[in-house]
Amino acid sequence: MHCVEISFSPNPAVLLDRLHLEADSDEAEDFLALLDRIKPLVHPRAAYLESAVEADRASGRVVIDGVVFQSRILAGNLKDQSVAWPHVATCGREVYEYAMAMPDPFERYWLDEIMAEGLNQARAEMLRSVEKQYSPGKVSTMGPGSLVEWPLEQQLPLFSLLAEGVAFCGIELTDTMLMLPNKSISGVLFRSESGWESCCLCQREKCPNRRAKYDPKLVAALDG
């Protein structure tokens, strides 16, 4: 298990832009004061494993380090792979608990953006670590719940596989399979020369996080 923790290094100007705050405004001054106060509580963390993979796309059965998953799309992506990197990443438990106790809704909104940036940095550092350790080349990822074909219930086997890393990151899985802190991700990283994206199979038109256009032909190609 590779466990990654980094020092949180936000770019204030970028965060102000994301929040649509004018740099010389009173709101920006308040936000920057909050950012300075919160920075010591933001501890981005990630954990991952290089794992052996067996995938049968006909049945949709995938075995990762002996743990069984069921997803025809995941199986299609991993059918020619021998290894993959199951992983989790988070903004950190400390800032999340602080945010949940925050009574001011505006400050909670700002904290949400700060936590999102913490998660972004955790994921980026995890990808750098995978590249440094294994040089996989071009990679893509799938996470439980990102598609109907790989539902949130598949968090259970993934969290059992990554139990040590989950504990390191301080991530909790709720009864409804959601992660706490809410700014956390989980999934399986794999080699992909095509740059495959789950967004290609998602029909949600106005998703703010969309990275690729919906492609209805892709399911058939994966089932191939």
Side-chain angles (χ1 to χ4, degrees), residues 100-146:
M100 291 302 98
M102 176 69 69
D104 188 319
F106 287 103
E107 288 198 337
R108 286 188 65 173
Y109 173 69
W110 290 345
L111 279 168
D112 195 66
E113 190 60 50
I114 293 171
M115 291 190 294
E117 178 59 22
L119 172 59
N120 290 340
Q121 292 187 18
R123 183 177 185 275
E125 185 62 25
M126 178 195 71
L127 291 173
R128 282 191 288 268
S129 180
V130 171
E131 176 62 31
K132 181 178 179 180
Q133 294 288 335
Y134 300 106
S135 301
K138 197 169 185 179
V139 294
S140 294
T141 188
M142 276 189 68
S146 58

mmCIF file of all heavy atoms in Angstrom, residues 100-146:
data_model
loop_
_atom_site.group_PDB
_atom_site.id
_atom_site.type_symbol
_atom_site.label_atom_id
_atom_site.label_comp_id
_atom_site.label_asym_id
_atom_site.label_seq_id
_atom_site.Cartn_x
_atom_site.Cartn_y
_atom_site.Cartn_z
ATOM 1 N N MET A 100 -18.195 21.049 8.929
ATOM 2 C CA MET A 100 -19.505 20.579 9.361
ATOM 3 C C MET A 100 -19.995 21.327 10.601
ATOM 4 O O MET A 100 -21.202 21.427 10.841
ATOM 5 C CB MET A 100 -19.471 19.079 9.642
ATOM 6 C CG MET A 100 -19.293 18.213 8.402
ATOM 7 S SD MET A 100 -20.587 18.477 7.140
ATOM 8 C CE MET A 100 -19.776 19.629 6.009
ATOM 9 N N ALA A 101 -19.060 21.869 11.379
ATOM 10 C CA ALA A 101 -19.429 22.619 12.582
ATOM 11 C C ALA A 101 -19.569 24.114 12.316
ATOM 12 O O ALA A 101 -19.931 24.872 13.219
ATOM 13 C CB ALA A 101 -18.378 22.387 13.672
ATOM 14 N N MET A 102 -19.312 24.534 11.078
ATOM 15 C CA MET A 102 -19.358 25.947 10.737
ATOM 16 C C MET A 102 -20.813 26.419 10.604
ATOM 17 O O MET A 102 -21.572 25.895 9.775
ATOM 18 C CB MET A 102 -18.619 26.179 9.412
ATOM 19 C CG MET A 102 -18.688 27.602 8.899
ATOM 20 S SD MET A 102 -17.745 28.767 9.919
ATOM 21 C CE MET A 102 -16.075 28.218 9.554
ATOM 22 N N PRO A 103 -21.260 27.408 11.389
ATOM 23 C CA PRO A 103 -22.659 27.847 11.323
ATOM 24 C C PRO A 103 -22.959 28.781 10.161
ATOM 25 O O PRO A 103 -24.096 28.841 9.698
ATOM 26 C CB PRO A 103 -22.859 28.562 12.665
ATOM 27 C CG PRO A 103 -21.499 29.054 13.037
ATOM 28 C CD PRO A 103 -20.528 28.045 12.509
ATOM 29 N N ASP A 104 -21.966 29.513 9.684
ATOM 30 C CA ASP A 104 -22.181 30.506 8.633
ATOM 31 C C ASP A 104 -22.273 29.816 7.268
ATOM 32 O O ASP A 104 -21.307 29.193 6.815
ATOM 33 C CB ASP A 104 -21.018 31.506 8.628
ATOM 34 C CG ASP A 104 -21.265 32.683 7.692
ATOM 35 O OD1 ASP A 104 -21.783 32.457 6.583
ATOM 36 O OD2 ASP A 104 -20.929 33.817 8.071
ATOM 37 N N PRO A 105 -23.405 29.911 6.550
ATOM 38 C CA PRO A 105 -23.555 29.210 5.272
ATOM 39 C C PRO A 105 -22.595 29.711 4.201
ATOM 40 O O PRO A 105 -22.168 28.933 3.339
ATOM 41 C CB PRO A 105 -25.017 29.481 4.887
ATOM 42 C CG PRO A 105 -25.405 30.699 5.653
ATOM 43 C CD PRO A 105 -24.639 30.636 6.925
ATOM 44 N N PHE A 106 -22.262 31.010 4.229
ATOM 45 C CA PHE A 106 -21.332 31.538 3.240
ATOM 46 C C PHE A 106 -19.936 30.966 3.462
ATOM 47 O O PHE A 106 -19.250 30.570 2.509
ATOM 48 C CB PHE A 106 -21.301 33.062 3.291
ATOM 49 C CG PHE A 106 -22.524 33.710 2.725
ATOM 50 C CD1 PHE A 106 -23.498 34.228 3.570
ATOM 51 C CD2 PHE A 106 -22.728 33.783 1.359
ATOM 52 C CE1 PHE A 106 -24.639 34.818 3.053
ATOM 53 C CE2 PHE A 106 -23.865 34.382 0.827
ATOM 54 C CZ PHE A 106 -24.829 34.891 1.681
ATOM 55 N N GLU A 107 -19.516 30.903 4.706
ATOM 56 C CA GLU A 107 -18.202 30.344 4.994
ATOM 57 C C GLU A 107 -18.174 28.846 4.689
ATOM 58 O O GLU A 107 -17.153 28.327 4.237
ATOM 59 C CB GLU A 107 -17.809 30.614 6.446
ATOM 60 C CG GLU A 107 -17.471 32.071 6.711
ATOM 61 C CD GLU A 107 -16.677 32.279 7.983
ATOM 62 O OE1 GLU A 107 -16.742 31.401 8.876
ATOM 63 O OE2 GLU A 107 -15.983 33.305 8.079
ATOM 64 N N ARG A 108 -19.281 28.150 4.906
ATOM 65 C CA ARG A 108 -19.330 26.733 4.549
ATOM 66 C C ARG A 108 -19.210 26.550 3.048
ATOM 67 O O ARG A 108 -18.572 25.605 2.567
ATOM 68 C CB ARG A 108 -20.620 26.090 5.064
ATOM 69 C CG ARG A 108 -20.623 25.852 6.563
ATOM 70 C CD ARG A 108 -21.812 25.041 7.015
ATOM 71 N NE ARG A 108 -21.786 23.683 6.486
ATOM 72 C CZ ARG A 108 -22.643 22.726 6.851
ATOM 73 N NH1 ARG A 108 -23.588 22.992 7.732
ATOM 74 N NH2 ARG A 108 -22.564 21.536 6.338
ATOM 75 N N TYR A 109 -19.817 27.449 2.289
ATOM 76 C CA TYR A 109 -19.694 27.406 0.828
ATOM 77 C C TYR A 109 -18.243 27.624 0.414
ATOM 78 O O TYR A 109 -17.711 26.918 -0.461
ATOM 79 C CB TYR A 109 -20.604 28.464 0.216
ATOM 80 C CG TYR A 109 -20.447 28.631 -1.271
ATOM 81 C CD1 TYR A 109 -20.858 27.638 -2.156
ATOM 82 C CD2 TYR A 109 -19.892 29.801 -1.787
ATOM 83 C CE1 TYR A 109 -20.707 27.798 -3.531
ATOM 84 C CE2 TYR A 109 -19.746 29.968 -3.155
ATOM 85 C CZ TYR A 109 -20.159 28.968 -4.022
ATOM 86 O OH TYR A 109 -20.015 29.132 -5.372
ATOM 87 N N TRP A 110 -17.593 28.596 1.039
ATOM 88 C CA TRP A 110 -16.185 28.836 0.734
ATOM 89 C C TRP A 110 -15.322 27.655 1.151
ATOM 90 O O TRP A 110 -14.396 27.259 0.427
ATOM 91 C CB TRP A 110 -15.718 30.100 1.457
ATOM 92 C CG TRP A 110 -16.304 31.368 0.922
ATOM 93 C CD1 TRP A 110 -16.960 31.545 -0.271
ATOM 94 C CD2 TRP A 110 -16.277 32.646 1.559
ATOM 95 N NE1 TRP A 110 -17.345 32.846 -0.422
ATOM 96 C CE2 TRP A 110 -16.946 33.559 0.684
ATOM 97 C CE3 TRP A 110 -15.779 33.126 2.758
ATOM 98 C CZ2 TRP A 110 -17.098 34.904 0.986
ATOM 99 C CZ3 TRP A 110 -15.937 34.472 3.066
ATOM 100 C CH2 TRP A 110 -16.590 35.346 2.192
ATOM 101 N N LEU A 111 -15.619 27.081 2.297
ATOM 102 C CA LEU A 111 -14.866 25.915 2.759
ATOM 103 C C LEU A 111 -15.013 24.745 1.802
ATOM 104 O O LEU A 111 -14.078 23.958 1.604
ATOM 105 C CB LEU A 111 -15.333 25.506 4.164
ATOM 106 C CG LEU A 111 -14.743 26.302 5.321
ATOM 107 C CD1 LEU A 111 -15.508 26.004 6.604
ATOM 108 C CD2 LEU A 111 -13.266 25.958 5.505
ATOM 109 N N ASP A 112 -16.179 24.625 1.201
ATOM 110 C CA ASP A 112 -16.398 23.553 0.243
ATOM 111 C C ASP A 112 -15.426 23.670 -0.928
ATOM 112 O O ASP A 112 -14.875 22.659 -1.395
ATOM 113 C CB ASP A 112 -17.845 23.598 -0.259
ATOM 114 C CG ASP A 112 -18.255 22.327 -0.966
ATOM 115 O OD1 ASP A 112 -18.323 21.273 -0.301
ATOM 116 O OD2 ASP A 112 -18.518 22.382 -2.187
ATOM 117 N N GLU A 113 -15.187 24.877 -1.385
ATOM 118 C CA GLU A 113 -14.238 25.096 -2.479
ATOM 119 C C GLU A 113 -12.811 24.827 -2.030
ATOM 120 O O GLU A 113 -11.997 24.266 -2.781
ATOM 121 C CB GLU A 113 -14.363 26.522 -3.007
ATOM 122 C CG GLU A 113 -13.585 26.773 -4.287
ATOM 123 C CD GLU A 113 -14.038 25.889 -5.432
ATOM 124 O OE1 GLU A 113 -15.254 25.807 -5.697
ATOM 125 O OE2 GLU A 113 -13.155 25.261 -6.064
ATOM 126 N N ILE A 114 -12.486 25.197 -0.798
ATOM 127 C CA ILE A 114 -11.150 24.920 -0.265
ATOM 128 C C ILE A 114 -10.929 23.409 -0.165
ATOM 129 O O ILE A 114 -9.865 22.891 -0.525
ATOM 130 C CB ILE A 114 -10.976 25.592 1.114
ATOM 131 C CG1 ILE A 114 -10.978 27.118 0.964
ATOM 132 C CG2 ILE A 114 -9.686 25.133 1.791
ATOM 133 C CD1 ILE A 114 -11.040 27.874 2.287
ATOM 134 N N MET A 115 -11.948 22.682 0.309
ATOM 135 C CA MET A 115 -11.833 21.227 0.404
ATOM 136 C C MET A 115 -11.711 20.589 -0.971
ATOM 137 O O MET A 115 -10.960 19.620 -1.163
ATOM 138 C CB MET A 115 -13.030 20.652 1.161
ATOM 139 C CG MET A 115 -13.049 21.002 2.630
ATOM 140 S SD MET A 115 -14.300 20.081 3.585
ATOM 141 C CE MET A 115 -15.816 20.716 2.871
ATOM 142 N N ALA A 116 -12.433 21.130 -1.953
ATOM 143 C CA ALA A 116 -12.331 20.611 -3.315
ATOM 144 C C ALA A 116 -10.911 20.764 -3.842
ATOM 145 O O ALA A 116 -10.374 19.865 -4.512
ATOM 146 C CB ALA A 116 -13.323 21.326 -4.232
ATOM 147 N N GLU A 117 -10.286 21.890 -3.539
ATOM 148 C CA GLU A 117 -8.906 22.096 -3.960
ATOM 149 C C GLU A 117 -7.966 21.129 -3.239
ATOM 150 O O GLU A 117 -6.999 20.623 -3.823
ATOM 151 C CB GLU A 117 -8.480 23.538 -3.718
ATOM 152 C CG GLU A 117 -7.034 23.855 -4.088
ATOM 153 C CD GLU A 117 -6.709 23.579 -5.544
ATOM 154 O OE1 GLU A 117 -7.635 23.533 -6.387
ATOM 155 O OE2 GLU A 117 -5.509 23.407 -5.846
ATOM 156 N N GLY A 118 -8.244 20.864 -1.965
ATOM 157 C CA GLY A 118 -7.450 19.869 -1.243
ATOM 158 C C GLY A 118 -7.534 18.504 -1.897
ATOM 159 O O GLY A 118 -6.527 17.800 -2.045
ATOM 160 N N LEU A 119 -8.742 18.111 -2.303
ATOM 161 C CA LEU A 119 -8.923 16.834 -3.002
ATOM 162 C C LEU A 119 -8.185 16.844 -4.337
ATOM 163 O O LEU A 119 -7.528 15.855 -4.699
ATOM 164 C CB LEU A 119 -10.409 16.559 -3.220
ATOM 165 C CG LEU A 119 -10.749 15.356 -4.103
ATOM 166 C CD1 LEU A 119 -10.164 14.073 -3.528
ATOM 167 C CD2 LEU A 119 -12.254 15.240 -4.278
ATOM 168 N N ASN A 120 -8.273 17.939 -5.089
ATOM 169 C CA ASN A 120 -7.563 18.035 -6.365
ATOM 170 C C ASN A 120 -6.068 17.811 -6.188
ATOM 171 O O ASN A 120 -5.428 17.098 -6.972
ATOM 172 C CB ASN A 120 -7.792 19.414 -7.004
ATOM 173 C CG ASN A 120 -9.205 19.604 -7.508
ATOM 174 O OD1 ASN A 120 -9.925 18.636 -7.738
ATOM 175 N ND2 ASN A 120 -9.607 20.859 -7.683
ATOM 176 N N GLN A 121 -5.518 18.408 -5.127
ATOM 177 C CA GLN A 121 -4.083 18.258 -4.888
ATOM 178 C C GLN A 121 -3.732 16.843 -4.459
ATOM 179 O O GLN A 121 -2.679 16.311 -4.839
ATOM 180 C CB GLN A 121 -3.623 19.290 -3.861
ATOM 181 C CG GLN A 121 -3.695 20.721 -4.373
ATOM 182 C CD GLN A 121 -3.079 21.732 -3.433
ATOM 183 O OE1 GLN A 121 -2.299 21.392 -2.535
ATOM 184 N NE2 GLN A 121 -3.412 23.008 -3.627
ATOM 185 N N ALA A 122 -4.603 16.212 -3.674
ATOM 186 C CA ALA A 122 -4.363 14.824 -3.266
ATOM 187 C C ALA A 122 -4.351 13.905 -4.479
ATOM 188 O O ALA A 122 -3.485 13.024 -4.613
ATOM 189 C CB ALA A 122 -5.427 14.375 -2.269
ATOM 190 N N ARG A 123 -5.327 14.082 -5.365
ATOM 191 C CA ARG A 123 -5.398 13.236 -6.564
ATOM 192 C C ARG A 123 -4.185 13.467 -7.465
ATOM 193 O O ARG A 123 -3.589 12.512 -7.984
ATOM 194 C CB ARG A 123 -6.679 13.521 -7.343
ATOM 195 C CG ARG A 123 -6.855 12.632 -8.569
ATOM 196 C CD ARG A 123 -8.170 12.906 -9.279
ATOM 197 N NE ARG A 123 -8.374 11.973 -10.369
ATOM 198 C CZ ARG A 123 -7.881 12.130 -11.604
ATOM 199 N NH1 ARG A 123 -7.159 13.205 -11.882
ATOM 200 N NH2 ARG A 123 -8.106 11.225 -12.536
ATOM 201 N N ALA A 124 -3.798 14.727 -7.647
ATOM 202 C CA ALA A 124 -2.652 15.031 -8.498
ATOM 203 C C ALA A 124 -1.372 14.411 -7.948
ATOM 204 O O ALA A 124 -0.555 13.858 -8.698
ATOM 205 C CB ALA A 124 -2.491 16.550 -8.636
ATOM 206 N N GLU A 125 -1.198 14.472 -6.625
ATOM 207 C CA GLU A 125 -0.003 13.890 -6.020
ATOM 208 C C GLU A 125 -0.024 12.363 -6.133
ATOM 209 O O GLU A 125 1.015 11.741 -6.335
ATOM 210 C CB GLU A 125 0.109 14.314 -4.563
ATOM 211 C CG GLU A 125 1.383 13.853 -3.877
ATOM 212 C CD GLU A 125 2.646 14.437 -4.511
ATOM 213 O OE1 GLU A 125 2.568 15.512 -5.142
ATOM 214 O OE2 GLU A 125 3.716 13.803 -4.374
ATOM 215 N N MET A 126 -1.196 11.755 -6.013
ATOM 216 C CA MET A 126 -1.315 10.305 -6.190
ATOM 217 C C MET A 126 -0.897 9.908 -7.603
ATOM 218 O O MET A 126 -0.144 8.941 -7.802
ATOM 219 C CB MET A 126 -2.742 9.851 -5.929
ATOM 220 C CG MET A 126 -2.960 8.359 -6.140
ATOM 221 S SD MET A 126 -4.719 7.940 -6.235
ATOM 222 C CE MET A 126 -5.173 8.645 -7.834
ATOM 223 N N LEU A 127 -1.369 10.662 -8.609
ATOM 224 C CA LEU A 127 -1.006 10.358 -9.997
ATOM 225 C C LEU A 127 0.490 10.524 -10.218
ATOM 226 O O LEU A 127 1.113 9.716 -10.926
ATOM 227 C CB LEU A 127 -1.789 11.263 -10.950
ATOM 228 C CG LEU A 127 -3.294 11.011 -11.032
ATOM 229 C CD1 LEU A 127 -3.965 12.084 -11.874
ATOM 230 C CD2 LEU A 127 -3.585 9.624 -11.587
ATOM 231 N N ARG A 128 1.086 11.531 -9.612
ATOM 232 C CA ARG A 128 2.537 11.696 -9.730
ATOM 233 C C ARG A 128 3.268 10.526 -9.098
ATOM 234 O O ARG A 128 4.279 10.044 -9.627
ATOM 235 C CB ARG A 128 2.971 13.014 -9.080
ATOM 236 C CG ARG A 128 2.705 14.251 -9.928
ATOM 237 C CD ARG A 128 3.384 15.485 -9.362
ATOM 238 N NE ARG A 128 2.731 15.954 -8.154
ATOM 239 C CZ ARG A 128 1.769 16.865 -8.125
ATOM 240 N NH1 ARG A 128 1.312 17.388 -9.262
ATOM 241 N NH2 ARG A 128 1.241 17.262 -6.986
ATOM 242 N N SER A 129 2.759 10.049 -7.964
ATOM 243 C CA SER A 129 3.388 8.923 -7.281
ATOM 244 C C SER A 129 3.290 7.650 -8.115
ATOM 245 O O SER A 129 4.270 6.895 -8.234
ATOM 246 C CB SER A 129 2.732 8.710 -5.912
ATOM 247 O OG SER A 129 3.326 7.620 -5.227
ATOM 248 N N VAL A 130 2.119 7.398 -8.703
ATOM 249 C CA VAL A 130 1.959 6.221 -9.570
ATOM 250 C C VAL A 130 2.918 6.304 -10.751
ATOM 251 O O VAL A 130 3.575 5.312 -11.119
ATOM 252 C CB VAL A 130 0.500 6.100 -10.061
ATOM 253 C CG1 VAL A 130 0.378 5.015 -11.131
ATOM 254 C CG2 VAL A 130 -0.432 5.793 -8.894
ATOM 255 N N GLU A 131 3.011 7.480 -11.354
ATOM 256 C CA GLU A 131 3.913 7.661 -12.491
ATOM 257 C C GLU A 131 5.366 7.410 -12.085
ATOM 258 O O GLU A 131 6.126 6.738 -12.804
ATOM 259 C CB GLU A 131 3.748 9.066 -13.062
ATOM 260 C CG GLU A 131 4.709 9.407 -14.196
ATOM 261 C CD GLU A 131 4.544 8.510 -15.403
ATOM 262 O OE1 GLU A 131 3.414 8.042 -15.669
ATOM 263 O OE2 GLU A 131 5.561 8.264 -16.094
ATOM 264 N N LYS A 132 5.763 7.943 -10.939
ATOM 265 C CA LYS A 132 7.140 7.786 -10.471
ATOM 266 C C LYS A 132 7.457 6.330 -10.145
ATOM 267 O O LYS A 132 8.546 5.822 -10.471
ATOM 268 C CB LYS A 132 7.362 8.652 -9.234
ATOM 269 C CG LYS A 132 8.778 8.582 -8.676
ATOM 270 C CD LYS A 132 8.946 9.495 -7.473
ATOM 271 C CE LYS A 132 10.354 9.415 -6.897
ATOM 272 N NZ LYS A 132 10.513 10.310 -5.713
ATOM 273 N N GLN A 133 6.503 5.632 -9.520
ATOM 274 C CA GLN A 133 6.744 4.257 -9.095
ATOM 275 C C GLN A 133 6.644 3.254 -10.241
ATOM 276 O O GLN A 133 7.414 2.288 -10.292
ATOM 277 C CB GLN A 133 5.724 3.869 -8.009
ATOM 278 C CG GLN A 133 5.851 4.624 -6.700
ATOM 279 C CD GLN A 133 7.075 4.223 -5.895
ATOM 280 O OE1 GLN A 133 7.598 3.119 -6.027
ATOM 281 N NE2 GLN A 133 7.539 5.135 -5.060
ATOM 282 N N TYR A 134 5.691 3.479 -11.183
ATOM 283 C CA TYR A 134 5.363 2.418 -12.142
ATOM 284 C C TYR A 134 5.400 2.837 -13.608
ATOM 285 O O TYR A 134 5.296 1.972 -14.480
ATOM 286 C CB TYR A 134 3.966 1.866 -11.824
ATOM 287 C CG TYR A 134 3.879 1.296 -10.430
ATOM 288 C CD1 TYR A 134 3.197 1.986 -9.421
ATOM 289 C CD2 TYR A 134 4.497 0.100 -10.105
ATOM 290 C CE1 TYR A 134 3.113 1.478 -8.130
ATOM 291 C CE2 TYR A 134 4.425 -0.416 -8.809
ATOM 292 C CZ TYR A 134 3.731 0.277 -7.835
ATOM 293 O OH TYR A 134 3.660 -0.230 -6.566
ATOM 294 N N SER A 135 5.524 4.124 -13.898
ATOM 295 C CA SER A 135 5.572 4.617 -15.275
ATOM 296 C C SER A 135 4.513 3.957 -16.162
ATOM 297 O O SER A 135 4.836 3.319 -17.172
ATOM 298 C CB SER A 135 6.960 4.370 -15.870
ATOM 299 O OG SER A 135 7.960 5.013 -15.115
ATOM 300 N N PRO A 136 3.241 4.090 -15.823
ATOM 301 C CA PRO A 136 2.204 3.385 -16.576
ATOM 302 C C PRO A 136 1.881 3.999 -17.932
ATOM 303 O O PRO A 136 1.191 3.387 -18.747
ATOM 304 C CB PRO A 136 0.985 3.491 -15.655
ATOM 305 C CG PRO A 136 1.193 4.782 -14.922
ATOM 306 C CD PRO A 136 2.677 4.890 -14.714
ATOM 307 N N GLY A 137 2.342 5.223 -18.190
ATOM 308 C CA GLY A 137 1.946 5.899 -19.418
ATOM 309 C C GLY A 137 0.583 6.540 -19.253
ATOM 310 O O GLY A 137 0.188 6.934 -18.154
ATOM 311 N N LYS A 138 -0.181 6.619 -20.324
ATOM 312 C CA LYS A 138 -1.485 7.258 -20.280
ATOM 313 C C LYS A 138 -2.455 6.407 -19.479
ATOM 314 O O LYS A 138 -2.534 5.186 -19.661
ATOM 315 C CB LYS A 138 -2.017 7.456 -21.700
ATOM 316 C CG LYS A 138 -3.142 8.465 -21.805
ATOM 317 C CD LYS A 138 -3.431 8.797 -23.266
ATOM 318 C CE LYS A 138 -4.472 9.896 -23.377
ATOM 319 N NZ LYS A 138 -4.742 10.239 -24.801
ATOM 320 N N VAL A 139 -3.209 7.045 -18.562
ATOM 321 C CA VAL A 139 -4.119 6.304 -17.682
ATOM 322 C C VAL A 139 -5.502 6.940 -17.675
ATOM 323 O O VAL A 139 -5.676 8.109 -18.022
ATOM 324 C CB VAL A 139 -3.574 6.242 -16.234
ATOM 325 C CG1 VAL A 139 -2.299 5.422 -16.157
ATOM 326 C CG2 VAL A 139 -3.352 7.646 -15.674
ATOM 327 N N SER A 140 -6.480 6.131 -17.283
ATOM 328 C CA SER A 140 -7.843 6.585 -17.043
ATOM 329 C C SER A 140 -8.311 5.982 -15.734
ATOM 330 O O SER A 140 -7.619 5.154 -15.130
ATOM 331 C CB SER A 140 -8.769 6.165 -18.189
ATOM 332 O OG SER A 140 -8.439 6.816 -19.389
ATOM 333 N N THR A 141 -9.491 6.380 -15.285
ATOM 334 C CA THR A 141 -9.997 5.862 -14.019
ATOM 335 C C THR A 141 -11.491 5.639 -14.079
ATOM 336 O O THR A 141 -12.196 6.296 -14.857
ATOM 337 C CB THR A 141 -9.658 6.829 -12.861
ATOM 338 O OG1 THR A 141 -9.983 6.221 -11.618
ATOM 339 C CG2 THR A 141 -10.412 8.131 -12.995
ATOM 340 N N MET A 142 -11.976 4.689 -13.271
ATOM 341 C CA MET A 142 -13.398 4.471 -13.053
ATOM 342 C C MET A 142 -13.658 4.416 -11.567
ATOM 343 O O MET A 142 -12.881 3.815 -10.815
ATOM 344 C CB MET A 142 -13.854 3.141 -13.674
ATOM 345 C CG MET A 142 -14.185 3.202 -15.145
ATOM 346 S SD MET A 142 -14.945 1.661 -15.728
ATOM 347 C CE MET A 142 -16.532 1.715 -14.850
ATOM 348 N N GLY A 143 -14.741 5.042 -11.125
ATOM 349 C CA GLY A 143 -15.122 5.020 -9.718
ATOM 350 C C GLY A 143 -16.518 4.463 -9.549
ATOM 351 O O GLY A 143 -17.391 4.724 -10.384
ATOM 352 N N PRO A 144 -16.771 3.696 -8.495
ATOM 353 C CA PRO A 144 -18.133 3.201 -8.238
ATOM 354 C C PRO A 144 -19.123 4.354 -8.151
ATOM 355 O O PRO A 144 -18.860 5.366 -7.498
ATOM 356 C CB PRO A 144 -17.998 2.489 -6.892
ATOM 357 C CG PRO A 144 -16.563 2.094 -6.812
ATOM 358 C CD PRO A 144 -15.824 3.209 -7.478
ATOM 359 N N GLY A 145 -20.252 4.198 -8.844
ATOM 360 C CA GLY A 145 -21.266 5.238 -8.837
ATOM 361 C C GLY A 145 -21.130 6.238 -9.959
ATOM 362 O O GLY A 145 -22.040 7.038 -10.194
ATOM 363 N N SER A 146 -20.009 6.207 -10.683
ATOM 364 C CA SER A 146 -19.837 7.149 -11.790
ATOM 365 C C SER A 146 -20.718 6.778 -12.973
ATOM 366 O O SER A 146 -21.028 7.636 -13.809
ATOM 367 C CB SER A 146 -18.373 7.202 -12.229
ATOM 368 O OG SER A 146 -17.909 5.923 -12.629
#
